[in-house]
């Protein structure tokens, strides 16, 4: 009976001890800890203000007309009818050229993505699993090429595509888009650190060829890095402006180049424009949302694989 009565008492004492400890922890917050928390809060609020507010404005701008956008509070909501009207004006601009630009971007990035994965994943696997002469030199060259800005390569790439008589064709954009040394290096790191060598050696001992080992063992284990390489390549190519601007002007251009042409038809940004059809800021904001929507959709559906790929190799088991 005494043991039974002591259990509630001990539980109550434990509860009071936890509450007392929590209160004492709150009271013993040092000035340095308080200053650190305040600094973190200020930094977070700063980044929310700098990067979050423009996104909120961009999402709300298509809900208003041009006069409402300048006359109403910047973060107020307009109406769904105004969204439909802006959508109609955007779709009718130059006979719906924005959808052709979007289709061009999907074609260029999609074909380049397939070629990139076909070339990059086996190349990274070969660098990780085989020892050959000048392997270290090849890895160093891969790192050096990664450090070169893409804009610095536009002129030599243009001259190369011109020599091959590909300028003005989709291949002038697709082939440079498929060159992705960062994906090769990322795949090399993944196979070096995250794939068990014993598992691959066991398949080789069982008589599997190197191609069979890669296709049946290594490739299924490489799903996270395949998703990561594909996402980085897709985002980089979709947002690439300079190379398609040089290679594919006009109606063959992708959506990012098309946005620059749409911007030239906005009187606020180009007062000297003599175009017969002009666009308002809300329509331009809607076009911007259309241009980034595919990337957001891809990210939402692939974020689980992206997280696995980013954290691969973080633990060693």
């Amino acid at each position: 009976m005494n043991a039974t009565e002591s259990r509630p008492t001990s539980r109550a004492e434990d509860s009071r001890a936890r509450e007392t400890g929590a209160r004492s922890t709150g009271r013993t917050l040092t000035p340095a800890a308080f200053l650190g928390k305040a600094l973190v809060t200020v930094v977070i609020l700063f980044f929310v203000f700098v990067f979050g507010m423009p996104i909120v404005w961009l999402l709300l701008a298509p809900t208003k007309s041009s006069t409402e956008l300048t006359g109403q509070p910047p973060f107020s909501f307009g109406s769904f009818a105004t969204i439909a009207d802006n959508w109609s004006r955007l779709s009718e601009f130059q006979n719906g050229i924005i959808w052709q630009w979007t289709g061009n971007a999907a074609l260029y990035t999609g074909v380049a993505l397939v070629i990139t994965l076909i070339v990059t994943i086996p190349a990274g696997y070969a660098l990780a699993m085989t020892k050959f002469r000048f392997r270290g030199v090849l890895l160093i060259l891969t790192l050096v090429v990664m450090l070169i800005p893409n804009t610095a390569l536009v002129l030599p790439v243009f001259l190369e595509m011109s020599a091959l008589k590909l300028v003005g064709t989709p291949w002038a954009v697709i082939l440079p888009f498929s060159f992705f040394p960062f994906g090769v290096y990322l795949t090399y790191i993944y196979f070096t650190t995250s794939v068990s060598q014993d598992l691959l050696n066991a398949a080789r001992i069982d008589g599997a060829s190197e191609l069979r080992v890669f296709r049946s063992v290594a490739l299924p284990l490489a799903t996270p890095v395949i998703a990561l390489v594909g996402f980085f390549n897709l985002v980089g190519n979709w947002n690439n402006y300079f190379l398609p601007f040089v290679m594919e002007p006009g109606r063959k251009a992708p959506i990012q180049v098309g946005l620059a042409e749409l911007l030239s038809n906005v009187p606020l940004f180009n007062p000297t424009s003599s175009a017969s059809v002009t666009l308002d800021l809300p329509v331009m904001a809607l076009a911007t949302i259309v241009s980034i929507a595919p990337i957001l959709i891809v990210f939402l559906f692939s974020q689980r694989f992206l997280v696995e790929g980013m954290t691969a190799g973080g633990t060693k088991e």
Side-chain angles (χ1 to χ4, degrees), residues 31-43:
F34 176 79
L35 184 61
K37 291 185 177 181
L39 182 61
V40 170
T41 303
V42 170
V43 171

Side-chain angles (χ1 to χ4, degrees), residues 43-194:
V43 171
I44 293 175
L45 292 176
F46 172 78
F47 280 101
V48 168
F49 178 79
V50 173
F51 297 103
M53 304 296 272
I55 296 176
V56 175
W57 182 91
L58 181 66
L59 295 176
L60 292 175
T63 67
K64 307 173 188 177
S65 63
S66 181
T67 55
E68 292 174 344
L69 188 64
T70 56
Q72 293 184 359
F75 299 108
S76 62
F77 182 83
S79 64
F80 291 103
T82 306
I83 296 177
D85 181 62
N86 291 331
W87 182 273
S88 177
R89 294 177 61 186
L90 178 63
S91 300
E92 294 172 358
F93 181 77
Q94 294 187 8
N95 297 321
I97 192 173
I98 187 172
W99 307 120
Q100 183 172 351
W101 288 335
T102 305
N104 294 338
L107 173 65
Y108 300 154
T109 57
V111 176
L113 175 62
V114 173
I115 297 176
T116 297
L117 294 179
I118 292 175
V119 174
T120 298
I121 306 303
Y125 175 83
L127 285 174
M129 299 300 167
T130 59
K131 307 291 184 181
F132 54 90
R133 194 177 182 183
F134 302 120
R135 175 173 174 266
V137 175
L138 187 59
L139 285 172
I140 293 174
L141 288 176
T142 303
L143 289 173
V144 170
V145 174
M146 286 167 50
L147 299 176
I148 300 176
N150 291 331
T151 53
L153 298 175
V154 169
L155 180 57
V157 169
F158 176 80
L159 295 176
E160 183 180 7
M161 293 296 106
S162 178
L164 296 174
K165 302 185 184 304
L166 293 177
V167 175
T169 67
W171 292 110
V173 178
I174 293 173
L175 291 180
F177 275 2
S178 305
F179 180 70
F180 195 47
F182 175 68
V184 176
Y185 191 75
L186 193 64
T187 307
Y188 161 77
I189 294 297
Y190 180 84
F191 280 119
T192 303
T193 61
S194 300

Side-chain angles (χ1 to χ4, degrees), residues 210-225:
E210 195 62 37
L211 181 61
R212 179 68 180 273
V213 172
F214 170 72
R215 186 179 68 250
S216 302
V217 182
L219 200 59
L221 297 175
T223 302
V225 76

Side-chain angles (χ1 to χ4, degrees), residues 1-26:
M1 186 68 179
N2 293 333
T4 306
E5 292 176 352
S6 63
R7 290 178 183 175
T9 304
S10 61
R11 292 176 182 175
E13 291 176 352
D14 292 341
S15 178
R16 285 195 299 270
R18 286 194 296 268
E19 293 176 359
T20 304
R23 287 196 298 268
S24 63
T25 302

